[in-house]
Amino acid sequence: MAASDDSSSWNTLEVHKHHEQRTVCHTRPKYREGRRPKAVKVYTINLESRFLLVQGVPAIGLMAELVQLFALYGAIEEYRVLDEYPAEEFTEVYLIKFQKLQSARVAKRNLDERSFYGGLLHVCYAPENETVEDTRQKLQERKRFVARIMRNKARERDQTEVEKSKMPNGPEMAMCEKKEWKVTSQKEEESLSTSYFLSYPLLPPPPQEDVYRPSSFSEQTSPSSSSSSVLKGYQCKMQPAEDNMGSTYHFVDTGNEPLPSKVLKSPSHGNPAIINKQRKICHPTTRFIPRTTQLENRKRKMEEVCQDTLLGIADTSETLIGPRLPQQPKMDMEDASLNITANLIRNTMAKISSVPECKPAEKKATTPKPRRRI
Amino acid sequence: MSSGRSRFPGPDRFEYLQALVTEFQDTDSPDAKEQVLANLANFSYDPGNMEDLRRLQVTELFLDMLTEESENLVEFGMGGLCNLSADRACRDQILRSDGVALVTGCLSSRREETVLSAVGTLMNLSERVTDPAVLQCVLRFSLSSSVRLRNLARVFLQDRCAPAQVERAERELQGRTQTALGIPLPQDQPGDASLATGAEQSKAAGSV
């Protein structure tokens, strides 16, 4: 065996036997065949390396492109073109040094035999470019890795054995646990099934007599959006946490609101209070609300209506039972100037009371955009 | 580090490996034997398989291959041992089966890959190597023209050998008391495999 000089690792440009691509094995039976045709070869840590030799790169100045491609798999420490390396005509050979062995491994697996600007890359490990220290690190890393995996496996096994040994000692306990688990799993199943159920567009709720329903309008224009908005309403009800985030709330309204408000604006523009009222009413039709809440809501609405009539801004669309007065009752101040002031106050009150309700409506006009799918 | 997600998790994987071992033992086709051996050796690289392979006594299977006529079978078996010996339990199994002698024999192989695997396996098998024949052989490797062999041999000498022993081996190398271990036999020599097993005992001066 001949002694040799200590040449730098980057100067060795011999063609090594392991650089050659071995002929693909075609005699494998089906069940032993992998996803890709491969030669019969055994990889050991000695053959692997952070250095990759890339052959078959078209010689049209693709250094940047090649390095970019390889950098997808991890940080590259060094790279250079091997001008002296015997290459096929019109191709170049590159040497790429990754920071980590794992990156080189994945890069080799994914990029070997990949077509690249009309050429077919042949990627192989180039461990002959390693220094002694590189080799040592590689071996130590491998040993540490195997030890860690085996330790983890042993720990897992111990845990399962401990659980197994517990079982015969307390079969009743185990039974209890099992039962509990069954119950919880059932619950999970239930919730799963409901959510599964909800993931389908629900039928719109049956029409109610005395309540204004904008969904009938929207159904005419776009049935899919209305049904999905109805569904969203349900989901929103089911997940109040998201409501608090504010996202689902807008989420719900976006589909539902713009349509009715557009429709409504024409007959009664100029009076936002009416629109607000109608929106408020239309919610109960689209969402499921428990009976008690509905009763409470009705009570609250009645009170609101009472207040509004006092202020003289009662809703015209609100269904009133009993004979309707030809005009809203307004308090007569018995003085022209006082009456003007009272009117002014009424108008401002009407505006103020409509402002906080109005805001989401404005938002609704803007929010649909980001939600739109491409 | 391993092949990532395994195609045959849990008991299925064990059964698949078992089927491979069975095929290896039953088949008459040398091609199939090589392929299955290569498969098993590559599976040995993945720590997730090591326990199953140990239970299937694949270490024994690999050790058997070291005395085969076919150089391919020797190379693949040696590669498998190099992969498996990284695990402590597998290492102990190899040691119990007197694997050191068989592996040492492979240091004289003509194939670089086999020699590299043998050196790597020896490093995995023992923390301290004291066999003077092995030491001399690795010392020679550390002067090899092959960078891979040279690097591995240097790591071996630095990490697995006492400096005093290395010095003595160097003196021996310069003197006349050399061993033939690690010197590949000429191509036309018959019975290469049988000689290789007992190579570490042959203290005769290297005639090559």
Side-chain angles (χ1 to χ4, degrees):
Chain A
M1 300 250 133
S4 70
D5 55 320
D6 266 67
S7 57
S8 155
S9 64
W10 288 87
N11 291 338
T12 51
L13 291 162
E14 311 150 56
V15 180
H16 290 262
K17 211 184 157 207
H18 63 261
H19 291 173
E20 288 167 25
Q21 199 159 19
R22 306 244 185 117
T23 45
V24 168
C25 169
H26 291 294
T27 55
R28 279 197 190 95
K30 194 96 188 162
Y31 84 101
R32 273 199 277 109
E33 238 166 45
R35 290 189 192 83
R36 283 196 276 173
K38 277 178 184 167
V40 182
K41 193 171 181 178
V42 172
Y43 281 92
T44 65
I45 189 67
N46 294 319
L47 199 55
E48 291 185 321
S49 176
R50 297 194 287 151
F51 290 86
L52 288 184
L53 192 77
V54 187
Q55 300 179 66
V57 184
I60 47 172
L62 291 171
M63 168 111 65
E65 284 82 356
L66 188 81
V67 172
Q68 268 172 19
L69 179 67
F70 275 79
L72 291 175
Y73 300 95
I76 291 173
E77 225 170 77
E78 278 177 83
Y79 61 89
R80 72 179 181 104
V81 63
L82 301 180
D83 293 320
E84 307 85 13
Y85 194 95
E88 246 179 80
E89 225 181 340
F90 310 121
T91 67
E92 283 174 328
V93 180
Y94 284 80
L95 189 65
I96 294 176
K97 182 188 184 188
F98 278 96
Q99 227 165 49
K100 284 182 184 158
L101 177 61
Q102 179 60 19
S103 313
R105 192 177 292 133
V106 180
K108 180 193 175 294
R109 195 168 58 220
N110 285 311
L111 297 179
D112 193 20
E113 307 242 298
R114 171 87 84 90
S115 82
F116 181 71
Y117 289 90
L120 202 64
L121 297 183
H122 171 49
V123 185
C124 63
Y125 295 116
E128 62 281 349
N129 293 288
E130 289 173 345
T131 62
V132 177
E133 200 44 50
D134 284 335
T135 309
R136 173 179 288 124
Q137 256 180 23
K138 178 176 82 175
L139 292 170
Q140 283 173 350
E141 246 172 61
R142 163 83 182 147
K143 218 167 182 190
R144 269 201 298 272
F145 172 75
V146 173
R148 195 175 69 235
I149 297 287
M150 297 316 278
R151 229 180 10 251
N152 289 349
K153 273 194 102 179
R155 202 180 298 146
E156 261 174 47
R157 201 175 43 238
D158 286 350
Q159 275 177 358
T160 50
E161 269 169 22
V162 164
E163 275 167 30
K164 269 183 195 167
S165 64
K166 263 187 186 172
M167 286 283 263
N169 288 349
E172 282 175 40
M173 273 285 285
M175 282 292 281
C176 276
E177 273 174 14
K178 246 190 180 171
K179 264 186 189 168
E180 260 174 57
W181 179 79
K182 243 189 175 173
V183 168
T184 48
S185 69
Q186 245 174 5
K187 272 182 194 165
E188 272 170 16
E189 259 175 32
E190 267 170 22
S191 64
L192 264 177
S193 64
T194 48
S195 64
Y196 181 69
F197 171 67
L198 279 173
S199 67
Y200 284 101
L202 296 173
L203 286 170
Q208 286 174 23
E209 283 172 31
D210 54 345
V211 196
Y212 173 79
R213 278 181 2 92
S215 58
S216 59
F217 277 87
S218 52
E219 229 160 21
Q220 279 164 7
T221 48
S222 59
S224 64
S225 83
S226 88
S227 57
S228 67
S229 70
V230 167
L231 156 77
K232 279 164 200 158
Y234 275 94
Q235 279 175 341
C236 174
K237 199 67 202 167
M238 301 299 279
Q239 301 158 342
E242 277 187 41
D243 232 348
N244 292 341
M245 296 291 284
S247 57
T248 315
Y249 177 70
H250 296 306
F251 191 61
V252 171
D253 283 354
T254 43
N256 205 354
E257 291 313 312
L259 280 167
S261 58
K262 254 188 227 162
V263 175
L264 282 167
K265 253 171 194 165
S266 42
S268 64
H269 57 114
N271 194 350
I274 290 172
I275 300 165
N276 288 326
K277 263 278 130 59
Q278 280 162 348
R279 189 191 310 123
K280 256 190 204 163
I281 297 157
C282 83
H283 273 306
T285 65
T286 54
R287 293 180 183 182
F288 170 75
I289 290 171
R291 198 177 149 70
T292 48
T293 328
Q294 255 171 343
L295 285 171
E296 268 173 25
N297 276 352
R298 200 178 295 163
K299 204 176 163 189
R300 188 166 45 82
K301 248 172 252 157
M302 291 296 273
E303 281 166 7
E304 263 177 28
V305 167
C306 285
Q307 273 182 353
D308 285 356
T309 40
L310 264 177
L311 288 165
I313 46 164
D315 202 340
T316 45
S317 75
E318 183 79 315
T319 43
L320 293 171
I321 299 153
R324 192 183 284 250
L325 290 168
Q327 254 204 326
Q328 293 297 324
K330 279 179 190 170
M331 240 176 254
D332 194 17
M333 295 307 200
E334 291 170 349
D335 185 279
S337 69
L338 272 180
N339 273 342
I340 289 166
T341 322
N343 266 335
L344 254 171
I345 291 167
R346 261 183 224 120
N347 287 343
T348 14
M349 288 299 278
K351 263 186 208 164
I352 288 163
S353 65
S354 70
V355 162
E357 298 272 12
C358 222
K359 263 197 174 166
E362 280 167 24
K363 264 187 193 170
K364 274 159 229 153
T366 55
T367 39
K369 268 198 176 166
R371 276 194 66 245
R372 219 163 270 162
R373 295 228 181 114
I374 303 153
Chain B
M1 240 189 199
S2 64
S3 53
R5 64 234 159 255
S6 59
R7 279 164 72 197
F8 308 99
D12 286 351
R13 197 209 296 240
F14 182 80
E15 273 162 30
Y16 182 76
L17 295 173
Q18 196 166 33
L20 281 182
V21 173
T22 312
E23 187 187 356
F24 180 81
Q25 283 161 345
D26 291 353
T27 188
D28 294 323
S29 146
D31 273 355
K33 222 173 168 84
E34 269 183 23
Q35 291 158 19
V36 174
L37 185 64
N39 278 348
L40 286 171
N42 281 320
F43 275 128
S44 306
Y45 186 88
D46 185 349
N49 294 323
M50 284 177 173
E51 200 190 322
D52 291 341
L53 291 170
R54 185 164 48 83
R55 278 166 64 202
L56 290 166
Q57 306 260 319
V58 174
T59 49
E60 294 289 327
L61 190 152
F62 287 152
L63 284 171
D64 276 351
M65 287 307 106
L66 302 188
T67 48
E68 281 289 321
E69 294 269 329
S70 155
E71 286 196 329
N72 272 345
L73 290 180
V74 178
E75 182 188 326
F76 296 162
M78 199 61 249
L81 283 173
C82 182
N83 284 336
L84 269 187
S85 58
D87 171 42
R88 296 180 80 89
C90 291
R91 182 196 71 184
D92 293 343
Q93 205 175 35
I94 296 167
L95 288 173
R96 273 199 300 277
S97 325
D98 287 327
V100 177
L102 287 164
V103 174
T104 309
C106 287
L107 292 174
S108 313
S109 170
R110 270 191 298 271
R111 289 218 185 161
E112 191 187 16
E113 223 52 66
T114 310
V115 175
L116 284 165
S117 294
V119 176
T121 310
L122 286 177
M123 284 176 77
N124 283 335
L125 287 181
S126 47
E127 288 296 312
R128 272 271 171 267
V129 178
T130 48
D131 186 343
V134 174
L135 250 150
Q136 248 190 56
C137 163
V138 177
L139 198 63
R140 249 191 325 256
F141 288 158
S142 73
L143 304 170
S144 159
S145 59
S146 155
V147 183
R148 292 170 67 202
L149 190 57
R150 199 166 67 213
N151 283 346
L152 192 66
R154 284 182 187 180
V155 175
F156 186 100
L157 291 175
Q158 286 165 20
D159 293 5
R160 293 285 185 276
C161 305
Q165 279 184 318
V166 178
E167 268 176 43
R168 204 175 67 215
E170 268 172 353
R171 273 201 307 278
E172 280 171 4
L173 203 61
Q174 279 155 7
R176 287 275 159 253
T177 49
Q178 284 191 27
T179 71
L181 182 61
I183 299 172
L185 290 159
Q187 205 84 38
D188 50 26
Q189 192 86 13
D192 163 40
S194 59
L195 266 172
T197 33
E200 85 278 5
Q201 278 115 18
S202 60
K203 288 269 180 184
S207 55
V208 184

mmCIF file of all heavy atoms in Angstrom, chain A residues 232-260:
data_model
loop_
_atom_site.group_PDB
_atom_site.id
_atom_site.type_symbol
_atom_site.label_atom_id
_atom_site.label_comp_id
_atom_site.label_asym_id
_atom_site.label_seq_id
_atom_site.Cartn_x
_atom_site.Cartn_y
_atom_site.Cartn_z
ATOM 1 N N LYS A 232 -73.682 28.838 8.499
ATOM 2 C CA LYS A 232 -72.703 29.563 9.294
ATOM 3 C C LYS A 232 -73.331 30.091 10.560
ATOM 4 O O LYS A 232 -72.722 30.149 11.603
ATOM 5 C CB LYS A 232 -72.101 30.697 8.480
ATOM 6 C CG LYS A 232 -70.997 30.225 7.556
ATOM 7 C CD LYS A 232 -70.721 31.277 6.527
ATOM 8 C CE LYS A 232 -70.013 30.700 5.329
ATOM 9 N NZ LYS A 232 -70.203 31.553 4.167
ATOM 10 N N GLY A 233 -74.581 30.492 10.420
ATOM 11 C CA GLY A 233 -75.285 30.975 11.595
ATOM 12 C C GLY A 233 -75.335 29.901 12.658
ATOM 13 O O GLY A 233 -75.062 30.155 13.824
ATOM 14 N N TYR A 234 -75.609 28.683 12.245
ATOM 15 C CA TYR A 234 -75.652 27.578 13.203
ATOM 16 C C TYR A 234 -74.300 27.359 13.843
ATOM 17 O O TYR A 234 -74.175 27.237 15.045
ATOM 18 C CB TYR A 234 -76.070 26.294 12.479
ATOM 19 C CG TYR A 234 -77.550 26.162 12.364
ATOM 20 C CD1 TYR A 234 -78.224 26.596 11.239
ATOM 21 C CD2 TYR A 234 -78.274 25.588 13.401
ATOM 22 C CE1 TYR A 234 -79.581 26.479 11.139
ATOM 23 C CE2 TYR A 234 -79.643 25.465 13.292
ATOM 24 C CZ TYR A 234 -80.305 25.908 12.155
ATOM 25 O OH TYR A 234 -81.635 25.782 12.067
ATOM 26 N N GLN A 235 -73.287 27.340 12.998
ATOM 27 C CA GLN A 235 -71.951 27.089 13.519
ATOM 28 C C GLN A 235 -71.561 28.160 14.512
ATOM 29 O O GLN A 235 -70.967 27.893 15.534
ATOM 30 C CB GLN A 235 -70.947 27.048 12.367
ATOM 31 C CG GLN A 235 -70.969 25.692 11.680
ATOM 32 C CD GLN A 235 -70.090 25.679 10.473
ATOM 33 O OE1 GLN A 235 -69.749 26.732 9.950
ATOM 34 N NE2 GLN A 235 -69.727 24.497 10.044
ATOM 35 N N CYS A 236 -71.940 29.370 14.185
ATOM 36 C CA CYS A 236 -71.608 30.482 15.061
ATOM 37 C C CYS A 236 -72.245 30.280 16.417
ATOM 38 O O CYS A 236 -71.650 30.515 17.447
ATOM 39 C CB CYS A 236 -72.094 31.771 14.425
ATOM 40 S SG CYS A 236 -71.890 33.185 15.470
ATOM 41 N N LYS A 237 -73.442 29.794 16.390
ATOM 42 C CA LYS A 237 -74.138 29.565 17.648
ATOM 43 C C LYS A 237 -73.441 28.453 18.436
ATOM 44 O O LYS A 237 -73.360 28.497 19.656
ATOM 45 C CB LYS A 237 -75.596 29.158 17.338
ATOM 46 C CG LYS A 237 -76.529 29.331 18.509
ATOM 47 C CD LYS A 237 -76.672 30.799 18.811
ATOM 48 C CE LYS A 237 -77.144 30.974 20.259
ATOM 49 N NZ LYS A 237 -76.997 32.374 20.652
ATOM 50 N N MET A 238 -72.974 27.479 17.729
ATOM 51 C CA MET A 238 -72.348 26.346 18.401
ATOM 52 C C MET A 238 -71.000 26.720 19.001
ATOM 53 O O MET A 238 -70.532 26.094 19.924
ATOM 54 C CB MET A 238 -72.125 25.186 17.411
ATOM 55 C CG MET A 238 -73.389 24.677 16.754
ATOM 56 S SD MET A 238 -74.558 24.042 17.944
ATOM 57 C CE MET A 238 -73.862 22.424 18.203
ATOM 58 N N GLN A 239 -70.342 27.718 18.443
ATOM 59 C CA GLN A 239 -69.009 28.060 18.916
ATOM 60 C C GLN A 239 -68.976 29.514 19.341
ATOM 61 O O GLN A 239 -68.569 30.385 18.576
ATOM 62 C CB GLN A 239 -67.976 27.827 17.818
ATOM 63 C CG GLN A 239 -67.978 26.383 17.354
ATOM 64 C CD GLN A 239 -67.396 26.248 15.975
ATOM 65 O OE1 GLN A 239 -67.292 27.211 15.236
ATOM 66 N NE2 GLN A 239 -67.022 25.039 15.637
ATOM 67 N N PRO A 240 -69.411 29.760 20.571
ATOM 68 C CA PRO A 240 -69.423 31.152 21.015
ATOM 69 C C PRO A 240 -68.023 31.723 21.183
ATOM 70 O O PRO A 240 -67.831 32.918 21.116
ATOM 71 C CB PRO A 240 -70.148 31.096 22.365
ATOM 72 C CG PRO A 240 -70.015 29.684 22.814
ATOM 73 C CD PRO A 240 -69.879 28.843 21.591
ATOM 74 N N ALA A 241 -67.037 30.846 21.399
ATOM 75 C CA ALA A 241 -65.674 31.336 21.592
ATOM 76 C C ALA A 241 -65.216 32.113 20.369
ATOM 77 O O ALA A 241 -64.573 33.140 20.471
ATOM 78 C CB ALA A 241 -64.737 30.170 21.849
ATOM 79 N N GLU A 242 -65.601 31.593 19.221
ATOM 80 C CA GLU A 242 -65.181 32.280 18.007
ATOM 81 C C GLU A 242 -65.928 33.589 17.851
ATOM 82 O O GLU A 242 -65.431 34.524 17.264
ATOM 83 C CB GLU A 242 -65.419 31.384 16.799
ATOM 84 C CG GLU A 242 -64.281 30.408 16.595
ATOM 85 C CD GLU A 242 -64.434 29.654 15.308
ATOM 86 O OE1 GLU A 242 -64.809 30.269 14.300
ATOM 87 O OE2 GLU A 242 -64.175 28.450 15.320
ATOM 88 N N ASP A 243 -67.130 33.590 18.403
ATOM 89 C CA ASP A 243 -67.896 34.816 18.375
ATOM 90 C C ASP A 243 -67.143 35.927 19.083
ATOM 91 O O ASP A 243 -67.085 37.055 18.628
ATOM 92 C CB ASP A 243 -69.227 34.582 19.092
ATOM 93 C CG ASP A 243 -70.371 35.024 18.204
ATOM 94 O OD1 ASP A 243 -70.107 35.697 17.194
ATOM 95 O OD2 ASP A 243 -71.506 34.715 18.545
ATOM 96 N N ASN A 244 -66.562 35.555 20.223
ATOM 97 C CA ASN A 244 -65.831 36.548 20.998
ATOM 98 C C ASN A 244 -64.640 37.093 20.227
ATOM 99 O O ASN A 244 -64.226 38.220 20.407
ATOM 100 C CB ASN A 244 -65.332 35.931 22.310
ATOM 101 C CG ASN A 244 -66.496 35.616 23.217
ATOM 102 O OD1 ASN A 244 -67.580 36.152 23.028
ATOM 103 N ND2 ASN A 244 -66.274 34.741 24.181
ATOM 104 N N MET A 245 -64.073 36.259 19.414
ATOM 105 C CA MET A 245 -62.936 36.696 18.623
ATOM 106 C C MET A 245 -63.363 37.720 17.588
ATOM 107 O O MET A 245 -62.558 38.464 17.066
ATOM 108 C CB MET A 245 -62.295 35.521 17.887
ATOM 109 C CG MET A 245 -61.709 34.479 18.802
ATOM 110 S SD MET A 245 -60.276 35.089 19.664
ATOM 111 C CE MET A 245 -59.082 35.000 18.350
ATOM 112 N N GLY A 246 -64.643 37.705 17.308
ATOM 113 C CA GLY A 246 -65.133 38.691 16.360
ATOM 114 C C GLY A 246 -65.080 38.188 14.937
ATOM 115 O O GLY A 246 -65.737 38.726 14.059
ATOM 116 N N SER A 247 -64.302 37.124 14.727
ATOM 117 C CA SER A 247 -64.137 36.691 13.342
ATOM 118 C C SER A 247 -65.388 36.001 12.837
ATOM 119 O O SER A 247 -65.888 36.307 11.761
ATOM 120 C CB SER A 247 -62.945 35.749 13.246
ATOM 121 O OG SER A 247 -63.127 34.668 14.114
ATOM 122 N N THR A 248 -65.874 35.106 13.638
ATOM 123 C CA THR A 248 -67.013 34.322 13.168
ATOM 124 C C THR A 248 -68.249 35.195 13.018
ATOM 125 O O THR A 248 -69.076 34.968 12.168
ATOM 126 C CB THR A 248 -67.310 33.196 14.155
ATOM 127 O OG1 THR A 248 -66.082 32.592 14.496
ATOM 128 C CG2 THR A 248 -68.227 32.170 13.560
ATOM 129 N N TYR A 249 -68.321 36.188 13.883
ATOM 130 C CA TYR A 249 -69.479 37.061 13.825
ATOM 131 C C TYR A 249 -69.570 37.723 12.459
ATOM 132 O O TYR A 249 -70.573 37.661 11.771
ATOM 133 C CB TYR A 249 -69.388 38.115 14.932
ATOM 134 C CG TYR A 249 -70.510 39.098 14.893
ATOM 135 C CD1 TYR A 249 -71.801 38.686 15.241
ATOM 136 C CD2 TYR A 249 -70.303 40.399 14.508
ATOM 137 C CE1 TYR A 249 -72.846 39.581 15.198
ATOM 138 C CE2 TYR A 249 -71.346 41.298 14.469
ATOM 139 C CZ TYR A 249 -72.617 40.885 14.814
ATOM 140 O OH TYR A 249 -73.645 41.768 14.756
ATOM 141 N N HIS A 250 -68.455 38.320 12.064
ATOM 142 C CA HIS A 250 -68.432 38.970 10.756
ATOM 143 C C HIS A 250 -68.579 37.948 9.663
ATOM 144 O O HIS A 250 -69.224 38.168 8.668
ATOM 145 C CB HIS A 250 -67.134 39.743 10.567
ATOM 146 C CG HIS A 250 -67.013 40.853 11.555
ATOM 147 N ND1 HIS A 250 -67.982 41.798 11.696
ATOM 148 C CD2 HIS A 250 -66.060 41.143 12.470
ATOM 149 C CE1 HIS A 250 -67.624 42.652 12.645
ATOM 150 N NE2 HIS A 250 -66.463 42.257 13.125
ATOM 151 N N PHE A 251 -67.948 36.847 9.947
ATOM 152 C CA PHE A 251 -67.970 35.734 9.022
ATOM 153 C C PHE A 251 -69.407 35.372 8.706
ATOM 154 O O PHE A 251 -69.787 35.196 7.564
ATOM 155 C CB PHE A 251 -67.259 34.573 9.725
ATOM 156 C CG PHE A 251 -66.965 33.415 8.828
ATOM 157 C CD1 PHE A 251 -66.156 33.584 7.730
ATOM 158 C CD2 PHE A 251 -67.505 32.176 9.103
ATOM 159 C CE1 PHE A 251 -65.895 32.523 6.915
ATOM 160 C CE2 PHE A 251 -67.234 31.122 8.289
ATOM 161 C CZ PHE A 251 -66.434 31.283 7.187
ATOM 162 N N VAL A 252 -70.199 35.323 9.750
ATOM 163 C CA VAL A 252 -71.585 34.939 9.577
ATOM 164 C C VAL A 252 -72.335 35.983 8.775
ATOM 165 O O VAL A 252 -73.036 35.676 7.839
ATOM 166 C CB VAL A 252 -72.258 34.789 10.950
ATOM 167 C CG1 VAL A 252 -73.747 34.600 10.792
ATOM 168 C CG2 VAL A 252 -71.647 33.639 11.701
ATOM 169 N N ASP A 253 -72.121 37.206 9.183
ATOM 170 C CA ASP A 253 -72.941 38.262 8.613
ATOM 171 C C ASP A 253 -72.624 38.532 7.161
ATOM 172 O O ASP A 253 -73.494 38.925 6.399
ATOM 173 C CB ASP A 253 -72.746 39.544 9.417
ATOM 174 C CG ASP A 253 -73.529 39.466 10.710
ATOM 175 O OD1 ASP A 253 -74.278 38.481 10.886
ATOM 176 O OD2 ASP A 253 -73.406 40.380 11.510
ATOM 177 N N THR A 254 -71.380 38.341 6.807
ATOM 178 C CA THR A 254 -70.972 38.722 5.468
ATOM 179 C C THR A 254 -71.834 38.065 4.415
ATOM 180 O O THR A 254 -72.235 38.702 3.454
ATOM 181 C CB THR A 254 -69.512 38.339 5.209
ATOM 182 O OG1 THR A 254 -69.304 37.035 5.744
ATOM 183 C CG2 THR A 254 -68.578 39.332 5.826
ATOM 184 N N GLY A 255 -72.070 36.801 4.614
ATOM 185 C CA GLY A 255 -72.847 36.091 3.606
ATOM 186 C C GLY A 255 -74.302 36.543 3.629
ATOM 187 O O GLY A 255 -74.959 36.620 2.604
ATOM 188 N N ASN A 256 -74.760 36.842 4.805
ATOM 189 C CA ASN A 256 -76.197 37.027 4.992
ATOM 190 C C ASN A 256 -76.648 38.460 4.741
ATOM 191 O O ASN A 256 -77.661 38.694 4.115
ATOM 192 C CB ASN A 256 -76.537 36.632 6.440
ATOM 193 C CG ASN A 256 -77.972 36.203 6.551
ATOM 194 O OD1 ASN A 256 -78.711 36.315 5.579
ATOM 195 N ND2 ASN A 256 -78.358 35.724 7.708
ATOM 196 N N GLU A 257 -75.850 39.401 5.229
ATOM 197 C CA GLU A 257 -76.382 40.748 5.367
ATOM 198 C C GLU A 257 -76.441 41.590 4.110
ATOM 199 O O GLU A 257 -77.464 42.231 3.860
ATOM 200 C CB GLU A 257 -75.647 41.497 6.472
ATOM 201 C CG GLU A 257 -75.946 40.952 7.851
ATOM 202 C CD GLU A 257 -77.422 40.742 8.103
ATOM 203 O OE1 GLU A 257 -78.195 41.672 7.810
ATOM 204 O OE2 GLU A 257 -77.819 39.671 8.557
ATOM 205 N N PRO A 258 -75.379 41.633 3.362
ATOM 206 C CA PRO A 258 -75.393 42.624 2.281
ATOM 207 C C PRO A 258 -76.600 42.479 1.375
ATOM 208 O O PRO A 258 -77.145 43.467 0.896
ATOM 209 C CB PRO A 258 -74.118 42.321 1.496
ATOM 210 C CG PRO A 258 -73.255 41.604 2.477
ATOM 211 C CD PRO A 258 -74.171 40.847 3.377
ATOM 212 N N LEU A 259 -77.009 41.254 1.156
ATOM 213 C CA LEU A 259 -78.130 41.041 0.243
ATOM 214 C C LEU A 259 -79.413 41.698 0.745
ATOM 215 O O LEU A 259 -79.966 42.539 0.046
ATOM 216 C CB LEU A 259 -78.335 39.547 0.022
ATOM 217 C CG LEU A 259 -77.353 38.968 -1.007
ATOM 218 C CD1 LEU A 259 -77.385 37.458 -0.949
ATOM 219 C CD2 LEU A 259 -77.682 39.472 -2.398
ATOM 220 N N PRO A 260 -79.873 41.376 1.961
ATOM 221 C CA PRO A 260 -81.120 41.999 2.417
ATOM 222 C C PRO A 260 -81.019 43.507 2.533
ATOM 223 O O PRO A 260 -81.972 44.217 2.203
ATOM 224 C CB PRO A 260 -81.370 41.365 3.780
ATOM 225 C CG PRO A 260 -80.109 40.697 4.150
ATOM 226 C CD PRO A 260 -79.386 40.381 2.880
#
